[in-house]
């Protein structure tokens, strides 16, 4: 039976199975070795995520995930007094919410590989350009302030990213500091972010590459995992039963 890898997060996770998405790339990498399940919820913050835990990760499950990614913070970091303020969660509460998620997953399975992913950096000009492009919607939904002030800043996203990494270090977990990693590249704003927040195919590739590195450094290297059933090259055309005896009987 294949193990499950669950991707838990907001819209950046929800969209990860789109063409070129990091979730789709993971599913391809672990094809026939693990099932990659997307549990992403657009617009959610870490506070709202807590309501989903017992539904998505029931205690006492006979088959808890072998690994899970936790990817929140982009919405928690929305600024008060701006058009997305209802999503705002103070950074200390954000860290505590992540702790609660981790504790619940550990209760589901003490051996589960848990990886925290920080929010990505924010291209503030890109967010404003996106608002101007969708002017009618933004003004109707949020009013004129949506056209003059970004609802997120890169500086604030960095505060939440540091909080995420600090918690991972405190709990002895592995993490991906996406906020720092992406900014190592000149021109990251347009190369990695399509609307100032969500990822381009190149941005998705960064998440994928960093996660594969972390999985390989742990104990979840796809190359070292067995196929769920025999590779076709192991099947004798004249005696196919032999290849399946150990796996299926």
């Amino acid at each position: 039976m294949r193990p499950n890898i669950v991707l838990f997060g907001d819209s950046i996770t929800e969209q990860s199975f789109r063409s070129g998405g990091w979730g789709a790339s993971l599913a391809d990498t672990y094809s026939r070795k693990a099932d990659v399940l997307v549990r992403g919820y657009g617009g959610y913050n870490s506070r709202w995520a807590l309501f989903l835990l017992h539904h998505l990760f029931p205690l006492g499950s006979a088959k808890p995930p072998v690994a899970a990614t936790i990817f929140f913070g982009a919405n928690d970091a929305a600024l008060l007094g701006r058009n997305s303020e209802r999503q705002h969660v103070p950074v200390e509460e954000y860290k505590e919410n992540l702790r609660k998620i981790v504790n619940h997953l550990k209760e589901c399975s003490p051996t589960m590989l848990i990886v925290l992913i920080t929010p990505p950096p924010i291209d503030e000009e890109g967010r404003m350009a996106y608002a101007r492009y969708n002017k009618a919607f933004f003004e109707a939904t949020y009013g004129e302030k949506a056209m003059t002030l970004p609802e997120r800043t890169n500086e604030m996203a960095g505060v939440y990213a540091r909080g995420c990494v600090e918690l991972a270090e405190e709990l002895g977990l592995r993490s991906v500091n996406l906020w720092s990693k992406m900014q190592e590249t000149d021109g990251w704003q347009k190369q990695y972010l399509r609307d100032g927040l969500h990822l381009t195919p190149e941005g998705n590739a960064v998440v994928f590459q960093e996660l594969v590195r972390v999985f390989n450094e742990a104990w979840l290297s796809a190359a070292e995992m067995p196929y769920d059933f025999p590779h076709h090259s192991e099947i004798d055309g004249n005696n196919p039963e032999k290849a399946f005896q150990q796996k299926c009987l």
Side-chain angles (χ1 to χ4, degrees), residues 114-133:
I114 299 173
V115 182
L116 301 186
I117 307 175
T118 77
I122 297 294
D123 172 18
E124 294 161 34
E125 291 184 1
R127 288 305 289 167
M128 293 305 301
Y130 178 72
R132 288 192 294 271
Y133 182 77

Side-chain angles (χ1 to χ4, degrees), residues 4-190:
N4 291 334
I5 300 172
V6 178
L7 314 180
F8 185 35
D10 53 34
S11 59
I12 302 176
T13 297
E14 182 178 359
Q15 298 170 11
S16 69
F17 261 50
R18 292 183 177 181
S19 178
W22 59 275
S25 296
L26 276 179
D28 180 59
T29 298
Y30 286 87
S31 177
R32 291 190 54 190
K33 297 184 176 183
D35 288 328
V36 179
L37 308 178
V38 175
R39 298 295 182 266
Y41 300 87
Y44 274 52
N45 55 32
S46 63
R47 180 186 296 161
W48 302 342
L50 297 178
F51 292 99
L52 308 182
L53 287 179
H54 287 277
H55 299 279
L56 303 181
F57 306 97
L59 297 178
S61 171
K63 187 185 176 184
V66 68
T69 60
I70 303 174
F71 195 172
F72 289 98
N75 296 315
D76 299 67
L79 300 176
L80 291 173
R82 307 289 175 87
N83 52 299
S84 295
E85 67 175 348
R86 69 185 180 86
Q87 296 170 303
H88 172 78
V89 173
V91 67
E92 289 303 319
E93 182 189 341
Y94 164 69
K95 292 174 65 176
E96 187 59 29
N97 291 340
L98 292 184
R99 186 192 305 276
K100 291 177 181 177
I101 294 171
V102 169
N103 288 342
H104 181 85
L105 295 183
K106 286 296 187 182
E107 191 173 355
C108 289
S109 171
T111 61
M112 190 187 308
L113 173 61
I114 299 173
V115 182
L116 301 186
I117 307 175
T118 77
I122 297 294
D123 172 18
E124 294 161 34
E125 291 184 1
R127 288 305 289 167
M128 293 305 301
Y130 178 72
R132 288 192 294 271
Y133 182 77
N134 296 278
K135 181 177 179 180
F137 168 78
F138 273 80
E139 285 190 339
T141 305
Y142 303 115
E144 292 185 3
K145 66 179 181 180
M147 308 306 301
T148 57
L149 296 171
E151 88 285 23
R152 293 166 172 82
T153 65
N154 193 40
E155 179 182 7
M156 187 56 67
V159 171
Y160 285 72
R162 286 190 292 276
C164 180
V165 171
E166 289 169 0
L167 183 70
E169 293 174 349
E170 177 189 337
L171 299 179
L173 301 177
R174 298 175 186 272
S175 65
V176 171
N177 191 338
L178 197 59
W179 187 83
S180 293
K181 184 64 180 179
M182 285 188 165
Q183 293 184 85
E184 293 175 1
T185 299
D186 290 339
W188 59 268
Q189 292 91 337
K190 300 300 182 287

